[in-house]
Amino acid sequence: MQFSGGMRKKLRLGGDQRKASYPHSLQFYLEPPSENISLIEFESLAIDRVKLLKAVENLGVSYVKGIEPYQSKLENEIRRLKFSFRESLEDEYEPRRKDHISHFILRLAYCQSEDLRRWFIQQEMDLLRFRFSILPKDKIRNFLKDSHLQFEASLPERIAVGFELQ
């Protein structure tokens, strides 16, 4: 058997294809990634995701979720680890790709026991809640529409606070 790491070509997508791959900074992670990645990148993505979820956990213990210090510290941590969290950034393909692939790596790693699964799901829910709370109203509508979720806003001026699925 012969492995030639130097000969591997990296998949490059054009502008429209890249945007179509990850149209929103939020994801429900319905489709697993289908590209080949190196073992080094696999490990790096997993480590960064664990760091992010540990930060979510630690900040959730240290601060009340949703208040300004929690929000700003979590935003700084997401930015530092180069994960996707804002819709308005120029080229979001790499951070969104990183988010997508790393989620599935940890989903696989943390399915070994009920305690690990619970911890993983709780941190991912807190991360989704944070990301959802910082989205502008129009981006929330687009995300929910693209996700085939119908809703009615419970408070017209603050859609991110509450909505009912029909």
Side-chain angles (χ1 to χ4, degrees):
M1 216 184 294
Q2 187 177 26
F3 296 99
S4 54
M7 301 295 276
R8 180 175 288 164
K9 292 181 181 176
K10 198 161 191 175
L11 179 64
R12 299 275 184 224
L13 298 175
D16 289 340
Q17 292 171 319
R18 290 167 62 111
K19 190 165 181 115
S21 298
Y22 305 112
H24 304 284
S25 63
L26 279 180
Q27 297 184 51
F28 281 142
Y29 309 107
L30 300 175
E31 294 290 323
S34 59
E35 66 182 272
N36 293 326
I37 62 172
S38 70
L39 188 56
I40 293 168
E41 184 180 15
F42 184 95
E43 181 181 28
S44 173
L45 292 172
I47 289 169
D48 284 352
R49 188 66 172 217
V50 169
K51 287 178 183 176
L52 177 60
L53 296 183
K54 285 287 187 185
V56 169
E57 177 185 38
N58 292 337
L59 290 169
V61 170
S62 303
Y63 300 94
V64 176
K65 295 173 187 167
I67 64 170
E68 199 282 321
Y70 173 85
Q71 299 280 96
S72 66
K73 289 185 183 294
L74 185 51
E75 188 171 320
N76 289 337
E77 192 64 22
I78 292 171
R79 186 178 290 122
R80 185 182 73 77
L81 292 168
K82 295 179 174 64
F83 278 96
S84 173
F85 70 97
R86 290 251 187 234
E87 289 283 336
S88 61
L89 298 177
E90 291 263 327
D91 185 18
E92 274 286 286
Y93 176 76
E94 283 303 322
R96 290 177 186 183
R97 175 186 171 273
K98 178 179 184 175
D99 179 61
H100 183 235
I101 295 172
S102 68
H103 168 85
F104 278 93
I105 293 170
L106 287 199
R107 184 190 281 193
L108 181 63
Y110 280 75
C111 72
Q112 296 175 7
S113 73
E114 187 62 32
D115 289 339
L116 290 173
R117 264 191 302 277
R118 264 195 221 116
W119 180 86
F120 175 72
I121 291 169
Q122 182 61 56
Q123 305 327 307
E124 287 287 340
M125 284 188 331
D126 289 346
L127 183 59
L128 176 68
R129 195 173 293 121
F130 165 76
R131 287 174 168 167
F132 190 84
S133 74
I134 63 172
L135 280 180
K137 290 180 191 177
D138 62 322
K139 299 293 184 183
I140 290 172
R141 284 189 192 102
N142 291 342
F143 171 72
L144 293 173
K145 181 182 170 213
D146 291 348
S147 299
H148 306 290
L149 298 174
Q150 295 180 0
F151 71 97
E152 284 185 30
S154 60
L155 297 173
E157 63 276 339
R158 195 62 192 139
I159 292 176
V161 172
F163 59 89
E164 297 174 15
L165 298 177
Q166 294 179 343

